[in-house]
């Protein structure tokens, strides 16, 4: 007789573990299945985000930024040091410890909430039965009233540059270099490529980012992506746009990448090459042939607006379904699904999911960008405030970038907030909160912001929307 | 009591609208500036 659960979650990433915790909080008997093993060869919860994604990359971004500051800008403050050096294995070790603490923490949270964790590979059979294949090959079948598929995603591999996790690596391998590569190539100028490129560039690597698209950060506001490219280039990232990789050849400890761009066929030799062209959904052995769950044409599990699949009682969330591949998107879908299973009418606002690139300066945005609104024929007003005019930013010696607020010309309602600069993610979140409450640019401008803070740049940008900024000359009315 | 966003409160007072009579479309019935602008339009055409 198989054990019966109200909810069985396949996957313990930010979507799955959050869904399991929320379901358990709502009184549902919940199980969560995960197979991923960490560096110590033991079950590691938390998924891509905690183990080989968000958290480790931020750990390395913060360490490498501190090194960069100590080396290049402490003198601005009158601080002199001896030679500043980076022990790469110590930096990686610190990252590993953070990952271990957090993944252990997830285990503790699941336990505290009464979620039963199964180690193994979960597969959906027909009739809402879930088969767990354990490491020793034995199987166990759970019966479930509801199933949540949260199997996540994996890096896209490209035939011209097959990953060997030595010379040619994916994002996971790029978090494990034991020394700074002298010449580093990155294929893909997306969020992952830019963050990983930044880490190793700050530590002294000569970084070239090869991007097939002609446009840099096409999902971002054009003004922001232009500024970002300018800043990254100044920091030493060489970004080649419209460059399509055709082949690569590994020779001993180096790799030569061949690509074609506007100038014709070219090649560059690197010591390490990171392939970061995107991620794709993982559904490998997830669904029995008669499970009844359908995939869409791009390989994602097909779901409706509330993450319900084609099978009643079976849901799918996170990277394995449509939408932005972001941890906070997956988690919120997990919460919404758990609450809907419990009979609540939970809703999620897909229009207000913030995006963040954790370079320095950070880049972040929420809502619509100027070119999208133009395409949609919406008449807008724009307010921009540069951090160069922020007292707080000057004190921090961190003045690159700006805050941009876009509002509807007619109603003054804020439609998008785009920030590149210090604490961009936090500022954008302030914008998202205000937008959730239907803010106008005037509302934001009328609020009292503490002085001196980076947040004031948000108030000033909101004031600038209606030509009322105090600390920057306002654009003349057209 | 009616919840008004700050710009909505200011605009309502400027246009002589009674905040208590405004209908809010924002989260939790909150009155946005857009709601007041619409109420002003409606008053004009009434």
């Amino acid at each position: 007789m198989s054990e019966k659960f109200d909810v069985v979650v396949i996957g313990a990433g930010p979507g799955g573990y959050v869904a399991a915790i929320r379901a358990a909080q709502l009184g549902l008997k919940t199980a969560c299945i995960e197979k991923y093993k960490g560096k110590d060869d033991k079950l590691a919860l938390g998924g891509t985000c905690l183990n080989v994604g968000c958290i480790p990359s931020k750990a390395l971004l913060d360490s490498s930024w501190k090194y960069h500051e100590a080396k290049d800008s402490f003198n601005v403050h009158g601080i002199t040091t001896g030679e500043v050096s980076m022990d790469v294995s110590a930096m990686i070790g610190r990252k590993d410890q953070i990952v271990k603490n957090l993944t252990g923490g997830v285990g503790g949270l699941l336990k505290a909430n009464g979620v039963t964790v199964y180690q193994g590979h979960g597969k959906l059979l027909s009739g809402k039965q879930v088969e767990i294949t354990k490491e020793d090959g034995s199987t166990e079948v759970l019966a479930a009233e509801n199933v949540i598929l949260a199997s996540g995603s994996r890096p896209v591999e490209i035939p011209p540059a097959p990953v060997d996790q030595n010379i040619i690596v994916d994002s996971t391998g790029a978090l494990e270099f034991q020394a700074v590569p002298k010449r580093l190539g990155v294929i893909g100028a997306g969020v992952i490529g830019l963050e990983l490129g930044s880490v190793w560039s700050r530590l002294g690597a000569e970084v070239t980012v090869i991007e097939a698209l002609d446009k840099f950060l096409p999902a971002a506001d054009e003004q922001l992506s232009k500024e970002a490219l300018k800043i990254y280039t100044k920091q030493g990232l060489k970004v080649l746009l419209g460059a399509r990789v055709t082949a690569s050849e590994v020779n001993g400890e180096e790799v030569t990448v061949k690509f074609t761009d506007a100038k014709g066929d070219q090649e560059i030799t690197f010591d390490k090459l990171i392939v970061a062209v995107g991620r794709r959904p993982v559904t490998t052995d997830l669904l029995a042939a008669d499970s009844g769950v359908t995939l869409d044409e791009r390989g994602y599990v097909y779901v409706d607006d509330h993450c319900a699949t084609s099978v009643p009682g079976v849901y799918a969330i996170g990277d394995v379904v449509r939408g932005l591949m972001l941890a906070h998107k997956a988690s919120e879908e997990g919460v919404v699904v758990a609450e809907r299973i419990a009979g609540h009418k939970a809703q999620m606002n897909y229009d207000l999911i913030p995006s963040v690139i954790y370079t320095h300066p950070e880049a972040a945005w929420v809502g619509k960008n100027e070119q999208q609104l133009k395409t949609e024929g919406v008449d807008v007003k724009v307010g921009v405030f540069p951090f160069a005019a922020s007292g707080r930013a000057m004190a921090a010696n961190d003045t690159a970038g700006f805050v941009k607020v876009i509002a509807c010309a007619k109603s003054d309602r804020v439609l998008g907030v785009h920030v590149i600069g210090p604490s961009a993610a936090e500022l954008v979140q302030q914008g998202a909160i205000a937008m959730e409450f239907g803010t106008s640019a005037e509302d934001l401008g009328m609020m009292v912001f503490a002085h001196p803070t980076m947040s004031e740049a948000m108030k000033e940008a909101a004031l600038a929307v209606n030509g009322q900024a105090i600390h920057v000359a306002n654009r003349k009315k057209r | 009591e009616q919840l008004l966003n700050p710009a909505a409160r200011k605009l309502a007072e400027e246009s002589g609208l009674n905040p208590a009579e405004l209908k809010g479309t924002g989260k939790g019935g909150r009155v946005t500036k857009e709601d007041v602008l619409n109420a002003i339009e409606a008053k004009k055409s009434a």
Side-chain angles (χ1 to χ4, degrees):
Chain A
M1 182 69 189
S2 60
E3 190 158 5
K4 172 119 195 187
F5 287 90
D6 297 317
V7 178
V8 172
V9 185
I10 300 179
Y17 86 73
V18 169
I21 289 175
R22 187 73 190 116
Q25 284 174 349
L26 292 164
L28 301 164
K29 188 183 174 193
T30 306
C32 188
I33 305 167
E34 176 60 65
K35 66 179 167 193
Y36 185 83
K37 290 195 290 184
K39 275 190 169 177
D40 57 2
D41 211 34
K42 288 191 185 124
L43 176 69
L45 305 166
T48 299
C49 170
L50 260 63
N51 288 285
V52 291
C54 322
I55 299 297
S57 58
K58 263 79 273 177
L60 300 190
L61 280 158
D62 284 343
S63 296
S64 60
W65 180 253
K66 285 188 191 298
Y67 169 80
H68 170 80
E69 282 247 278
K71 204 161 166 288
D72 293 348
S73 51
F74 271 19
N75 60 341
V76 172
H77 303 277
I79 304 171
T80 48
T81 63
E83 200 191 333
V84 178
S85 62
M86 170 60 92
D87 176 344
V88 173
S89 56
M91 176 184 78
I92 301 286
R94 183 190 89 102
K95 178 265 292 179
D96 289 342
Q97 194 54 48
I98 295 167
V99 168
K100 201 167 171 226
N101 292 348
L102 281 171
T103 57
V106 170
L109 288 172
L110 288 169
K111 195 173 169 199
N113 282 282
V115 176
T116 309
V117 175
Y118 288 90
Q119 182 171 1
H121 174 88
K123 178 181 188 174
L124 179 70
L125 310 177
S126 65
K128 289 186 283 189
Q129 295 196 95
V130 177
E131 179 189 75
I132 305 163
T133 305
K134 302 188 178 165
E135 217 179 335
D136 61 11
S138 67
T139 60
E140 182 174 350
V141 175
L142 307 179
E145 280 297 321
N146 300 277
V147 178
I148 303 175
L149 306 171
S151 47
S153 61
R154 71 158 69 102
V156 169
E157 290 166 29
I158 54 168
V163 168
D164 60 19
Q165 294 301 26
N166 177 30
I167 304 296
I168 305 181
V169 302
D170 58 18
S171 56
T172 304
L175 298 167
E176 299 299 333
F177 292 159
Q178 292 300 317
V180 180
K182 197 166 169 299
R183 300 161 300 172
L184 174 66
V186 180
I187 305 178
V191 176
I192 298 171
L194 292 168
E195 290 185 357
L196 292 171
S198 291
V199 166
W200 297 105
S201 160
R202 292 167 188 170
L203 301 180
E206 184 188 297
V207 179
T208 306
V209 182
I210 305 172
E211 169 60 51
L213 295 176
D214 291 323
K215 269 183 83 173
F216 184 65
L217 292 178
D221 183 86
E222 267 170 20
Q223 194 176 348
L224 186 148
S225 53
K226 221 170 123 186
E227 181 77 3
L229 183 56
K230 209 168 81 190
I231 293 171
Y232 298 151
T233 304
K234 207 171 140 200
Q235 291 176 347
L237 288 188
K238 191 171 163 195
V239 181
L240 306 176
L241 296 174
R244 195 167 283 279
V245 174
T246 52
S248 68
E249 198 183 325
V250 177
N251 286 309
E253 292 298 302
E254 59 180 36
V255 54
T256 299
V257 177
K258 296 184 174 169
F259 60 95
T260 309
D261 68 4
K263 292 180 212 146
D265 291 342
Q266 309 202 48
E267 58 175 59
I268 308 181
T269 300
F270 302 109
D271 302 300
K272 296 277 185 192
L273 177 66
I274 304 172
V275 179
V277 297
R279 298 183 61 86
R280 61 187 175 89
V282 172
T283 53
T284 316
D285 206 24
L286 176 69
L287 306 166
D290 59 352
S291 74
V293 170
T294 51
L295 303 184
D296 71 16
E297 65 280 2
R298 294 177 304 158
Y300 293 88
V301 174
Y302 175 79
V303 289
D304 69 10
D305 290 348
H306 298 302
C307 293
T309 70
S310 40
V311 179
V314 178
Y315 303 82
I317 59 172
D319 288 2
V320 81
V321 303
R322 81 283 176 271
L324 297 167
M325 284 185 168
L326 299 171
H328 42 284
K329 177 263 195 184
S331 296
E332 204 54 39
E333 286 179 336
V335 167
V336 167
V337 164
E339 295 188 350
R340 289 204 157 246
I341 288 170
H344 302 215
K345 297 293 174 214
Q347 303 279 341
M348 164 162 176
N349 186 353
Y350 281 93
D351 295 332
L352 290 182
I353 301 176
S355 292
V356 185
I357 308 174
Y358 293 86
T359 46
H360 199 107
E362 275 180 9
W365 59 89
V366 70
K368 292 189 171 165
N369 59 46
E370 204 174 346
Q371 69 268 21
Q372 276 172 335
L373 290 160
K374 198 174 167 188
T375 308
E376 290 173 18
V378 181
D379 206 6
V380 299
K381 303 179 284 189
V382 173
V384 176
F385 188 81
F387 284 103
S390 156
R392 189 72 193 88
M394 282 182 227
N397 188 39
D398 201 0
T399 53
F402 58 77
V403 175
K404 173 173 180 174
V405 173
I406 308 174
C408 171
K410 194 160 157 277
S411 68
D412 199 35
R413 189 182 184 120
V414 175
L415 303 174
V417 174
H418 307 265
V419 183
I420 178 162
S423 303
E426 317 293 343
L427 265 60
V428 160
Q429 195 63 47
Q430 296 180 11
I433 294 169
M435 287 167 78
E436 186 61 40
F437 288 92
T439 196
S440 60
E442 189 183 3
D443 287 317
L444 271 174
M446 287 170 81
M447 289 197 61
V448 182
F449 282 65
H451 176 75
T453 58
M454 299 296 183
S455 301
E456 286 174 291
M458 172 72 87
K459 177 183 169 95
E460 288 277 4
L463 284 170
V465 165
N466 292 307
Q468 296 168 340
I470 303 294
H471 295 92
V472 70
N474 291 288
R475 283 197 284 189
K476 295 268 182 299
K477 283 258 166 69
R478 277 167 288 177
Chain B
E1 208 202 328
Q2 187 74 290
L3 272 175
L4 277 81
N5 282 357
R9 185 170 295 284
K10 172 174 167 247
L11 189 60
E13 188 172 341
E14 284 170 353
S15 355
L17 291 168
N18 180 358
E21 285 167 17
L22 289 165
K23 203 168 160 272
T25 61
K27 207 173 178 74
R30 192 170 273 267
V31 179
T32 66
K33 181 177 175 182
E34 191 170 2
D35 293 330
V36 184
L37 285 168
N38 288 339
I40 293 168
E41 275 303 308
K43 199 175 148 191
K44 266 192 217 156
S45 54

